Amino acid sequence: MELRIGWLYPTLMSTYGDRGNVITLQRRCQWRNIPVKIIPLEQQTEIDAFNEVDLIVGGGAQDRQQEIVMRDLKGAKADAISTRIETGVPGVFTCGSPQLLGHYYEPALGHRIEGLGILDLVSKHPGPDAKRCIGNVVFEITASPLASDLKTRFGESPVVIGFENHGGRTYLGQVSPLGKVIQGYGNNGEDGYEGAFYRHAIATYSHGPLLPKNPFIADWLIQKALEVKYQTSINLTKLNDSLANQARQAMFKRLDLTSMANNP
Amino acid sequence: MQLFDRIRLGLAVGTAKTVTAIVKQLRLGAASVLPGEIARRLHPRLLPLLCEQVRQGVILVVGTNGKTTTSLLLSTILERQNAKIAHNITGANLINGLITTLLGNTNLFGQLNADYAILEVDENVLPLVLKDCRPRFIVGLNLFRDQLDRYGEVDTISRRWQQAIAPLPKTTTVILNADDPTLSYLGQNLPQKVLFFGLSETNLYLDEIPHAVDSIYCPNCGHSLDYQGVYLSHLGDFHCPSCGFEKSQPTLNSKDWPQILIGVYNKYNTLAAGLVAKEISIDIDTIFDTVKNFKAAFGRAEELTVNGKKIRILLSKNPVGMNETIRAVKDLQIQGKPSTTLVILNDRIPDGTDVSWIWDVDTEKLASIGGTLIVSGDRIYDMALRLQYSQNLANQSNLIVKEDLREAIETALESTEIGETLYILPTYSAMLEIREILTGRKIL
Ligand SMILES: [Zn+2]
């Protein structure tokens, strides 16, 4: 058994500690003695590598870097990512990378950039002087079947704690939102939705280290990746997440949300 | 200055000074911001009226890392020429803090007594300051990804700086870091006199580009830059294979220069302050002599002794800074000896409210030292989690979590042997707390 984690453009798209998600997946595999490989998917990476990944991680970028990525992620590379996601390979796309999966992104300055069109959503930056959406974000995962899946596995409806910092606003089409905002801005600060969920791909503005403090998502991704790859049901051994739980409790308490504090 | 201005200025200054006295009397703090705010309300043109009175000119110091150390070195060099300096040493680097500092050097009639004003300015506030102030020098140290939650993106800041500096008169000299692509590019596109400082020492290249790197893309055309070598984060010897943009030529040869304190980042701070001093025509022997005898500002590689144990406080407020302090801890670590490191993570306004950056720090290198790691601060569990994920099962450091800062320090001191050094890695506000506990003295 081996898990190959494809990391989208680590030198271009790793802005706010996004690496935390890769480290979390890697360590949680290592701690369970599941062999794991991190495969950086860069501009110069051969297409074969894109086709071989079992799990995809994408982070955020500044506008300039985002443009470079979106120009590079065309043709065979774009097809490879689309095919992987369509066949059920799980992914976690945080911060700026959901914009990449949508139809297009309109940056603060310059022209509209076409995205992969995998998720039915569009993103727009309202201009260089518009207020950024910044702060702690808390949302409940509502997307089906992810929400019920996590609930059966962990017995509670999963509440995600993160931090958002984005200039762009995202508007969903037919794709299902990932969750409902409890605190923070979410996709656009207007409709109360946060992120998007499609096949086994999780997209969210909750940037940087999403997984360390929400380890149930990390484990869901690992489990799904192995199940899709080996076509058999997988049971992961439980890890000691007491530090993660304490970090969650501390933030729930600070945000005055102790009533919904849970550690699935 | 017109009579009316002078009367209003006197009134504003008088009120501000009264406030300062009251604040100090009531022990509300060191009064580093409030008087400035009050005086500015009484006289909106206060900052320009104060700035224009500085006899030899205003020197603005901007950049993510190194403002305080560079300013302090420059101020020490100038003081040796018997110059009178106004410097916002407490790190109050927003407009009100600058005004408060200048007011501190002003008499009741609004007359300012200073040869130079060395003002550390917040990256985001620079354009605002430049509306009111015609500096003699602007020193740009570096632009790292610091507190992006407040500032937005590096490109955006650089664009705002360009727009704010370009219209200034030609009497302003701009001193920039040649090794920082964003600043090199900025300098190549300014109409003012621009001088660069930078390193030319290939023996100091890092083995690999660290993870916490922001801008390795050409600021001119967006193509990825080719690095012959990297000194620190994205600072290095670079050129663009696509459009030909390259590192600007430094004025000084860094090989000929001594440096203050430890670490590559202090080499940059030394060169920046040294270049300004040289431009003011201070002789090179005086500069070198001051550099060699320089003592650290609080919390910047500062050393204290408590109960026969040495404590070294290494400010760690962003990925680049913390990677450098970890490098310093490793370098200073005597082989095989047990070590104790206390890491304190706060997320208050001066620290930045987003602590995601700790995942960009190579804390694996800290964990690999294998000593005792003690964690504290407002975001104690986030830091503990980062350290937990820095270790594989084979190599476990002793990780201790102490919510109470005093207890954390006591535990850290207990686990440090006599004659050994305890390393403390705090964020900015944590550093002030640490200082207060260790010295019984409040800084801000
Ligand atoms: Zn170029």
Side-chain angles (χ1 to χ4, degrees):
Chain A
M1 204 153 66
E2 185 197 57
L3 196 69
R4 283 166 302 187
I5 299 174
W7 184 4
L8 285 175
Y9 302 91
T11 59
L12 283 154
M13 304 192 58
S14 186
T15 307
Y16 301 100
D18 301 316
R19 179 172 67 158
N21 295 329
V22 177
I23 294 172
T24 304
L25 292 167
Q26 182 187 26
R27 289 288 189 216
R28 295 182 80 82
C29 286
Q30 287 172 347
W31 291 339
R32 294 177 166 117
N33 293 315
I34 301 169
V36 58
K37 255 200 202 118
I38 307 296
I39 299 164
L41 304 173
E42 298 277 9
Q43 282 167 289
Q44 65 279 7
T45 307
E46 299 291 334
I47 184 68
D48 290 352
F50 282 77
N51 281 315
E52 286 171 355
V53 297
D54 309 316
L55 205 168
I56 307 169
V57 184
Q62 301 192 30
D63 274 3
R64 180 205 306 277
Q65 278 80 346
Q66 178 113 343
E67 272 189 72
I68 299 170
V69 165
M70 286 169 110
R71 272 200 298 272
D72 188 63
L73 202 51
K74 289 237 159 83
K77 286 182 185 175
D79 293 345
I81 298 286
S82 293
T83 312
R84 296 314 276 162
I85 291 176
E86 291 294 347
T87 52
V89 165
V92 57
F93 304 92
T94 56
C95 193
S97 59
Q99 300 169 350
L100 194 91
L101 300 184
H103 298 299
Y104 60 81
Y105 172 55
E106 287 177 2
L109 302 161
H111 301 290
R112 175 186 285 197
I113 317 163
E114 299 300 319
L116 295 176
I118 301 170
L119 303 184
D120 187 14
L121 57 85
V122 300
S123 308
K124 301 168 191 181
H125 197 301
D129 298 316
K131 211 171 150 231
R132 292 177 71 84
C133 302
I134 301 175
N136 293 298
V137 59
V138 181
F139 61 94
E140 182 182 348
I141 292 185
T142 52
S144 169
L146 177 64
S148 55
D149 206 3
L150 290 171
K151 209 166 179 174
T152 20
R153 233 166 280 205
F154 306 107
E156 293 191 70
S157 64
V159 175
V160 175
I161 281 200
F163 195 96
E164 62 184 324
N165 180 350
H166 49 106
R169 270 69 161 170
T170 290
Y171 301 88
L172 304 182
Q174 292 307 307
V175 70
S176 149
L178 177 62
K180 269 211 308 257
V181 176
I182 295 166
Q183 166 132 355
Y185 296 89
N187 285 342
N188 47 47
E190 297 159 30
D191 61 21
Y193 291 125
E194 165 50 30
F197 182 72
Y198 176 68
R199 304 284 292 153
H200 293 141
I202 291 172
T204 172
Y205 268 130
S206 176
H207 78 186
L210 168 78
L211 300 182
K213 257 158 86 173
N214 303 285
F216 52 93
I217 302 180
D219 284 355
W220 183 86
L221 290 163
I222 295 170
Q223 183 172 16
K224 275 286 168 256
L226 292 171
E227 285 180 349
V228 168
K229 182 174 184 179
Y230 294 105
Q231 293 295 312
T232 175
S233 82
I234 299 282
N235 274 313
L236 297 176
T237 43
K238 217 169 153 34
L239 298 173
N240 179 356
D241 285 317
S242 57
L243 285 176
N245 292 341
Q246 281 172 292
R248 288 170 63 81
Q249 292 311 325
M251 191 42 76
F252 279 127
K253 196 171 160 201
R254 184 194 289 199
L255 297 177
D256 237 353
L257 295 172
T258 15
S259 58
M260 55 188 51
N262 66 12
N263 297 305
Chain B
M1 208 188 298
Q2 291 180 347
L3 181 65
F4 180 66
D5 264 347
R6 190 173 282 285
I7 293 168
R8 250 179 100 188
L9 179 63
L11 178 69
V13 169
T15 310
K17 283 192 173 292
T18 312
V19 171
T20 311
I22 293 170
V23 170
K24 281 188 174 156
Q25 192 69 39
L26 296 175
R27 297 180 192 282
L28 296 173
S32 57
V33 178
L34 187 61
E37 172 62 27
I38 290 171
R40 186 154 67 116
R41 292 219 182 137
L42 289 170
H43 198 312
R45 287 195 61 240
L46 196 57
L47 186 59
L49 291 175
L50 290 170
C51 278
E52 69 190 25
Q53 292 186 64
V54 181
R55 287 186 289 271
Q56 304 284 329
V58 174
I59 302 166
L60 302 180
V61 183
V62 279
T64 317
N65 286 331
K67 288 191 286 284
T68 299
T69 306
T70 304
S71 302
L72 210 65
L73 174 58
L74 183 56
S75 150
T76 314
I77 295 170
L78 294 174
E79 273 166 357
R80 285 194 45 176
Q81 311 295 302
N82 297 318
K84 189 161 181 327
I85 316 287
H87 173 205
N88 54 336
I89 195 161
T90 50
N93 56 19
L94 304 178
I95 298 267
N96 295 337
L98 306 185
I99 292 177
T100 304
T101 297
L102 294 171
L103 285 176
N105 294 271
T106 305
N107 69 15
L108 276 173
F109 307 103
Q111 279 168 328
L112 185 132
N113 174 23
D115 296 307
Y116 295 93
I118 301 177
L119 301 177
E120 298 174 30
V121 180
D122 179 277
E123 292 85 304
N124 215 31
V125 168
L126 180 68
L128 210 59
V129 173
L130 289 178
K131 281 188 185 154
D132 281 346
C133 174
R134 300 279 164 268
R136 181 165 166 199
F137 291 98
I138 299 172
V139 185
L141 295 171
N142 46 57
L143 265 182
F144 298 122
R145 162 209 309 176
D146 182 31
Q147 305 181 1
L148 280 175
D149 56 331
R150 280 202 293 152
Y151 298 149
E153 298 160 341
V154 165
D155 288 346
T156 312
I157 295 173
S158 151
R159 192 167 43 82
R160 289 195 186 129
W161 284 10
Q162 211 281 337
Q163 287 165 353
I165 297 174
L168 292 178
K170 302 286 183 290
T171 45
T172 297
T173 300
V174 185
I175 308 269
L176 294 169
N177 190 334
D179 298 356
D180 189 324
T182 312
L183 296 184
S184 237
Y185 182 71
L186 171 70
Q188 291 172 18
N189 290 283
L190 287 174
Q192 283 80 11
K193 178 179 179 186
V194 178
L195 297 172
F196 292 96
F197 62 93
L199 300 185
S200 20
E201 294 171 73
T202 51
N203 58 314
L204 292 178
Y205 285 160
L206 289 172
D207 299 336
E208 53 178 337
I209 297 184
H211 178 77
V213 163
D214 308 301
S215 76
I216 45 172
Y217 291 86
C218 176
N220 186 39
C221 74
H223 194 279
S224 134
L225 291 173
D226 275 356
Y227 275 83
Q228 193 195 323
V230 171
Y231 295 112
L232 160 64
S233 185
H234 62 278
L235 310 183
D237 295 327
F238 54 83
H239 77 275
C240 173
S242 172
C243 72
F245 163 71
E246 59 181 357
K247 166 174 163 167
S248 310
Q249 186 59 41
T251 308
L252 311 172
N253 188 342
S254 67
K255 282 187 207 128
D256 303 338
W257 278 69
Q259 76 163 88
I260 51 165
L261 312 170
I262 48 166
V264 168
Y265 50 117
N266 281 318
K267 230 174 181 33
Y268 282 111
N269 297 338
T270 306
L271 291 168
L275 185 50
V276 177
K278 219 171 146 278
E279 275 299 292
I280 297 176
S281 304
I282 292 172
D283 72 271
I284 204 80
D285 293 337
T286 307
I287 300 174
F288 279 18
D289 194 56
T290 314
V291 167
K292 285 172 192 155
N293 292 303
F294 184 74
K295 293 266 189 302
F298 65 86
R300 273 91 178 168
E302 176 190 33
E303 211 172 82
L304 307 166
T305 306
V306 174
N307 304 335
K309 294 166 183 179
K310 273 181 273 179
I311 297 177
R312 202 152 195 160
I313 305 173
L314 299 161
L315 181 65
S316 304
K317 57 177 182 149
N318 53 32
V320 177
M322 189 152 179
N323 274 344
E324 282 304 302
T325 57
I326 291 174
R327 195 197 317 190
V329 170
K330 279 202 91 163
D331 288 351
L332 294 167
Q333 199 60 56
I334 304 160
Q335 287 291 318
K337 295 246 179 168
S339 77
T340 306
T341 310
L342 169 59
V343 186
I344 312 158
L345 178 65
N346 281 359
D347 66 348
R348 299 171 203 179
I349 298 293
D351 307 302
T353 55
D354 180 11
V355 297
S356 303
W357 63 270
I358 59 176
W359 292 87
D360 286 322
V361 180
D362 296 325
T363 42
E364 287 76 12
K365 290 188 173 139
L366 183 63
S368 75
I369 298 174
T372 301
L373 298 173
I374 298 161
V375 191
S376 193
D378 302 342
R379 298 296 290 266
I380 175 172
Y381 293 106
D382 290 80
M383 195 66 216
L385 201 53
R386 176 71 189 100
L387 292 172
Q388 183 189 18
Y389 275 100
S390 303
Q391 307 177 354
N392 45 43
L393 289 176
N395 138 49
Q396 288 279 308
S397 292
N398 183 15
L399 182 62
I400 299 171
V401 178
K402 286 274 174 209
E403 288 188 10
D404 184 275
L405 188 54
R406 276 174 195 280
E407 266 179 47
I409 297 171
E410 277 166 27
T411 312
L413 277 170
E414 275 164 26
S415 93
T416 306
E417 286 174 28
I418 299 272
E420 296 299 320
T421 304
L422 162 65
Y423 297 97
I424 303 183
L425 277 51
T427 55
Y428 188 80
S429 71
M431 179 190 75
L432 299 182
E433 288 182 293
I434 280 282
R435 285 274 317 183
E436 195 187 343
I437 291 172
L438 288 175
T439 66
R441 178 156 62 101
K442 209 174 174 105
I443 301 291
L444 267 181

